[in-house]
Amino acid sequence: MAELNGTPEGSGITEAVLRLSQVLHLTTVAEGIETTEQAAELQTLGCGIGQGYLFAKPLPAAELIEFAGTRVG
């Protein structure tokens, strides 16, 4: 999330991409979320789907299935 660096410019770029995706009826996934501040800002900007080290490190497929099962069930 290099674009989301706490500056007005970074937030503006992120907001523009999110608004464009909404107008085009696309689902947007924010990648590289590393801090709770980034996650909160993305939620404020209307992005509800994200991934990154804040939530989990990259996992092999078998571990991902196990990880997801503990979150869903």
Side-chain angles (χ1 to χ4, degrees), residues 1 8 20 22 24 34 37 42-43 47-48 59-60:
M1 292 294 324
L20 179 61
Q22 291 168 352
L24 296 173
E34 296 181 359
E37 292 81 11
L42 285 163
Q43 283 186 322
C47 183
L59 300 170

Side-chain angles (χ1 to χ4, degrees), residues 10 16 23 37 39 41 49 58 60 62 66:
V23 168
E37 292 81 11
E41 187 169 354
I49 304 173
E66 182 179 332

